[in-house]
């Protein structure tokens, strides 16, 4: 890595700390992800148990109980999948958004470099060169 890449990585880490974005490895999201995986596996297991239960008997009452267990297994697997996807995507999108914000800030710094009179602080102001026109004053806008 070059010196600029190391500097950029350090600035990115500093930006993350300023934004107070929690580290996903140390949060409750990992617990919910694991719970979602367990629920998916449990749902499949309930389906297999219900299948074996329904084929080992000729009693219609037991077969109907197996059908109920199988439907509960499907519901548990779907809920587990939704929980897993929600927390997995949350972790991914949180850091993707932070990375996008950092990259846009870096891109903005490259587009508008600081002048000699103002130090590089990461905050840029641009002078407005055009007049601001209001829509309600424009004759092209229809009035009620």
């Amino acid at each position: 890595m070059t010196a600029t890449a190391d500097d950029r990585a350090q600035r990115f880490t500093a930006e993350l700390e300023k934004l107070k974005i929690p580290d996903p490895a140390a949060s409750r999201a990992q617990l919910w992800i694991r719970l979602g995986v367990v629920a998916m596996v449990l749902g499949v297991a309930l389906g297999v148990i219900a299948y074996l239960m329904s084929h080992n008997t000729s009693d219609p009452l037991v077969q109907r109980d197996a059908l109920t267990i199988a439907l509960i297994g499907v519901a548990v697997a779907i809920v587990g999948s939704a929980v897993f996807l929600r927390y997995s995507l949350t972790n991914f999108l949180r850091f993707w958004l932070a990375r996008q914000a950092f990259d846009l800030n870096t891109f903005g710094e490259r587009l508008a470099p600081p002048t000699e009179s103002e130090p590089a602080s990461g905050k840029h102001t641009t002078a407005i060169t055009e007049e601001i026109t209001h829509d309600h004053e424009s004759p092209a806008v229809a009035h009620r």
Side-chain angles (χ1 to χ4, degrees):
M1 271 186 164
T2 63
T4 58
D6 288 335
D7 181 47
R8 187 172 182 214
Q10 290 171 351
R11 285 191 305 149
F12 179 65
T13 305
E15 289 287 328
L16 281 178
E17 289 172 3
K18 278 200 291 187
L19 293 174
K20 297 179 183 172
I21 296 175
D23 183 17
S27 66
R28 288 190 188 187
Q30 292 295 1
L31 174 68
W32 285 105
I33 289 172
R34 290 183 185 128
L35 184 67
V37 170
V38 167
M40 287 189 287
V41 171
L42 181 66
V44 172
L46 283 174
V48 170
I49 289 169
Y51 177 79
L52 295 174
M53 198 170 119
S54 69
H55 283 297
N56 286 336
T57 184
S58 60
D59 184 14
L61 296 175
V62 174
Q63 290 176 347
R64 289 184 195 127
D65 289 342
L67 182 65
T68 304
I69 292 171
L71 287 175
I72 290 171
V74 168
V76 168
I78 289 173
V79 169
S81 300
V83 168
F84 175 78
L85 282 175
R86 188 253 189 235
Y87 284 98
S88 296
L89 288 176
T90 298
N91 288 339
F92 172 74
L93 291 176
R94 179 182 295 132
F95 281 99
W96 176 79
L97 183 63
R99 180 66 189 199
Q100 286 294 97
F102 179 77
D103 285 344
L104 283 173
N105 188 23
T106 305
F107 183 67
E109 288 174 358
R110 281 189 286 164
L111 283 180
T115 61
E116 293 82 26
S117 63
E118 71 179 40
S121 63
K123 297 180 182 175
H124 299 287
T125 58
T126 56
I128 299 174
T129 57
E130 300 177 37
E131 284 187 26
I132 298 175
T133 59
H134 298 286
D135 286 339
H136 67 275
E137 295 174 353
S138 173
V141 176
H143 295 284
R144 291 185 198 197

